Amino acid sequence: MAGWSKESLSDFDLQQLLKRLLEAVEIFSGFTQSELTEVLSGAEKCLFLPGQTIITEGSSGHFMYIIIDGEVEISKKLSTGRNKVLAHLSGGNCFGEMALIDNNVRSATVKSVAKCIMLRLSETEFRRNPPASAKLYRNIARLLSRRLRDTNAMISLAFPESPPHEP
């Protein structure tokens, strides 16, 4: 795929990322440095150029991505055929985690808005260390819960309560 590359993380890259990830990435909350090192030992470093599609809605997926630098746009295809932008995510955020949780198809399309440096974690890496996996799943559940609460709030603002019907 033109403009996209992946490579294994070098020991130097891994050490440089550890502190930043422990402080800035919500899904690594509560991890020790050794747990994070083990989880990331199988991660791949990915580079995407602006405008590249990273995930396509409806495709299968066995990876999640953690944005180290850059910005992505998440969109969903509407019944009208148009795309609706749902969110913009930047460094410290992740996406693609839902497919790892429920083994379902991707629920949205993700495109790079700016040049992106990301870590790509496979489903296999999630399950390699059961104690770290439990922390990761707990943190993903918290993230998804927060996103659902945010979505509920947006829906309630978009569709204000109707006045009661008079009999």
Side-chain angles (χ1 to χ4, degrees):
M1 182 181 302
W4 178 85
S5 68
K6 71 176 183 175
E7 56 189 67
S8 295
L9 288 171
S10 69
D11 287 339
F12 177 77
D13 286 340
L14 188 59
Q15 292 303 316
Q16 293 293 314
L17 287 173
L18 286 177
K19 184 176 180 185
R20 182 175 176 191
L21 293 175
L22 285 170
E23 293 172 355
V25 178
E26 181 179 355
I27 64 163
F28 296 134
S29 176
F31 273 65
T32 65
Q33 187 168 343
S34 63
E35 287 171 329
L36 185 56
T37 299
E38 186 170 340
V39 168
L40 294 181
S41 66
E44 295 174 315
K45 179 180 165 185
C46 300
L47 305 171
F48 292 93
L49 297 176
Q52 283 191 280
T53 300
I54 302 163
I55 289 177
T56 302
E57 182 178 349
S59 66
S60 62
H62 303 284
F63 298 96
M64 72 169 285
Y65 294 83
I66 300 161
I67 305 167
I68 303 304
D69 192 32
E71 182 181 354
V72 299
E73 176 182 273
I74 300 174
S75 63
K76 179 115 180 113
K77 189 172 284 287
L78 301 175
S79 60
T80 62
R82 294 181 42 197
N83 287 323
K84 170 71 175 163
V85 174
L86 302 175
H88 282 87
L89 300 176
S90 58
N93 286 289
C94 65
F95 60 90
E97 69 286 337
M98 287 172 47
L100 297 183
I101 300 296
D102 65 9
N103 292 314
N104 209 334
V105 296
R106 302 291 191 175
S107 65
T109 295
V110 181
K111 290 185 179 183
S112 57
V113 174
K115 180 180 177 182
C116 293
I117 301 170
M118 299 185 201
L119 293 180
R120 185 169 90 161
L121 293 173
S122 72
E123 186 174 18
T124 305
E125 293 304 316
F126 268 48
R127 296 192 173 113
R128 197 170 58 153
N129 177 334
S133 294
K135 285 184 181 181
L136 202 52
Y137 281 117
R138 181 195 68 222
N139 289 343
I140 289 172
R142 287 180 181 156
L143 172 69
L144 293 175
S145 177
R146 182 177 46 76
R147 288 180 180 170
L148 179 58
R149 288 176 191 278
D150 291 348
T151 300
N152 288 344
M154 285 190 300
I155 289 171
S156 70
L157 290 173
F159 300 100
E161 189 174 329
S162 305
H165 290 3
E166 297 282 329

